[in-house]
Amino acid sequence: MEIITLLGTALPIIQAPMAGVQGSALAIAVSNAGGLGSLPCAMLSADALRSELHAIRGATDRPFNLNFFCHTPPQPDAARETAWRACLRPYHAEFGIDPDTISAGPGRAPFTADIADLIEAFRPPVVSFHFGLPSPQLLARIKSWGTKVLSSATTVEEAVWLANAGVDAVIAQGLEAGGHRGMFLNMDMSTQCGLFALLRRIVRAVDVPVIAAGGIADAAGVTAAMTLGAAGVQVGTAYLLCPEATTSAVHRASLGSAAASHTALTNLFTGRPARGIVNRLIAEQGPFSPAAPDFPLATSAVAPLRAAAEARGSGDFSPLWCGQHPPLMPGLDAAAITRALAGLAPG
Ligand SMILES: Cc1cc2nc3c(=O)[nH]c(=O)nc-3n(C[C@H](O)[C@H](O)[C@H](O)COP(=O)(O)O)c2cc1C
């Protein structure tokens, strides 16, 4: 089935859900432009999610996507947390932060039955997942609403697993992609693969449509992905500078500078591998630290550093998520970017 038929959109362009840098405004703009707008829900409280859903339902009658994480919340590990704080101690001292005042607490919650209760009334046309899928019971419940389900695969094995579990389409997330790797069957980084090879291999391995993600920044990139067998594309970084995104000032400055041409996968900001622009924390600590607590617990001890540095106009301690292709259309709004990606307007 064609992806536009499956999703009910005019264009095969999915705006990637991007937790922390966007809300309903970006999703609405993309959906109204004919793409599939996405709302990242992993960092939203129940009240915030409900209000964002009302905003979307009030502003568009086009399909939209709700995105959730499916990680297993880790057991807090006191020894690991102590080791992590020891790594960060010089920075806490530099900014006058008392480590004893840092509250531990996960900033990202996985999908639960309570969330299913909340979203059911809104009948979301599409729900996408990162880091696997919820339980078969929850998945069946979502599908019983007529909702189409997508999830990210970073290996052929993950794509086959997702297809066997009943997703309607698989998102092939190439190594180029900004933000978190969706990896869930195997956390070995040597399994991760660039989009060209991953896409071809997944297209051969599964019967469901495959959506290409990672490093796609313009219409030529979209055409290339479709030529390689993608049914559609999911694009994130290209939207980070548009006015509808809530990307912070330091993140925008970095994305618009030469720094954006150097990204790395790092576990320093959340405990899971994610791609962002290399900044001071990554450069000084190295992109991967065995001391970083499991996702999302690493976030707590970095958060006050991030806040203190950002107050001084610095992104030295911020997760500057960005794919390997920096944004190409900095002056355009989300609708214009969507049309340009689809080849309907100049980019
Ligand atoms: C700032 C940022 C935040 C992201 N947050 C999420 C998220 O909350 N959920 C998700 O499924 N994917 C997330 N991703 C990954 C995207 O789904 C997608 O794989 C990626 O944006 C594609 O690569 P590109 O950024 O090069 O276009 C994020 C990506 C970025 C750049």
Side-chain angles (χ1 to χ4, degrees):
M1 186 192 290
E2 276 205 78
I3 202 81
I4 54 173
T5 310
L6 181 75
L7 302 177
T9 57
L11 305 171
I13 312 288
I14 299 165
Q15 165 251 315
M18 296 186 286
V21 298
Q22 60 136 143
S24 55
L26 180 57
I28 291 164
V30 172
S31 286
N32 280 335
L36 185 71
S38 300
L39 181 72
C41 304
M43 293 167 73
L44 297 181
S45 66
D47 284 346
L49 174 54
R50 199 175 292 109
S51 117
E52 288 285 58
L53 278 163
H54 281 298
I56 292 174
R57 278 293 186 208
T60 186
D61 52 9
R62 306 279 184 94
F64 61 89
N65 169 38
L66 301 182
N67 173 259
F68 299 94
F69 289 172
C70 291
H71 59 288
T72 306
Q75 291 299 323
D77 179 337
R80 195 100 164 266
E81 187 65 36
T82 303
W84 182 225
R85 291 187 183 201
C87 290
L88 300 178
R89 190 177 301 132
Y91 305 121
H92 288 143
E94 180 183 327
F95 285 90
I97 295 163
D98 177 357
D100 292 336
T101 63
I102 298 171
S103 59
R108 292 161 175 87
F111 189 77
T112 59
D114 287 345
I115 298 174
D117 291 344
L118 192 162
I119 66 172
E120 181 168 8
F122 294 88
R123 291 277 187 262
V126 182
V127 167
S128 74
F129 293 105
H130 218 39
F131 316 137
L133 286 172
S135 69
Q137 294 75 15
L138 275 179
L139 183 64
R141 190 170 159 202
I142 295 166
K143 294 190 71 158
S144 75
W145 309 331
T147 298
K148 303 301 177 203
V149 176
L150 320 175
S151 185
S152 303
T154 67
T155 61
V156 176
E157 291 71 23
E158 287 175 350
V160 170
W161 188 95
L162 292 172
N164 288 340
V167 298
D168 295 287
V170 167
I171 303 159
Q173 190 193 33
L175 197 50
E176 300 89 334
H180 285 98
R181 307 287 313 137
M183 53 206 300
F184 61 95
L185 286 184
N186 186 334
M187 294 307 286
D188 178 351
M189 292 306 295
S190 67
T191 62
Q192 300 296 285
C193 185
L195 181 63
F196 259 44
L198 182 69
L199 180 57
R200 292 302 297 155
R201 293 171 62 215
I202 291 181
V203 164
R204 276 195 293 268
V206 300
D207 289 332
V208 294
V210 182
I211 295 159
I216 298 171
D218 58 8
V222 174
T223 304
M226 307 288 255
T227 303
L228 292 174
V233 297
Q234 176 160 298
V235 178
T237 298
Y239 286 99
L240 284 174
L241 290 176
C242 72
E244 294 89 344
T246 58
T247 314
S248 69
V250 295
H251 198 172
R252 283 179 191 267
S254 195
L255 286 161
S257 76
S261 61
H262 186 193
T263 65
L265 289 167
T266 178
N267 72 341
L268 299 180
F269 294 102
T270 66
R272 257 185 184 269
R275 184 175 295 284
I277 297 169
V278 174
N279 59 3
R280 180 178 163 198
L281 184 65
I282 300 175
E284 291 184 359
Q285 292 295 311
F288 281 89
S289 169
D294 287 339
F295 180 89
L297 301 178
T299 316
S300 306
V302 181
L305 291 169
R306 173 186 179 175
E310 288 192 5
R312 298 180 188 179
S314 158
D316 282 353
F317 295 91
S318 303
L320 303 170
W321 301 148
C322 177
Q324 284 186 321
H325 201 312
L328 274 181
M329 304 178 250
L332 300 189
D333 65 17
I337 292 171
T338 304
R339 284 195 295 270
L341 286 167
L344 302 177

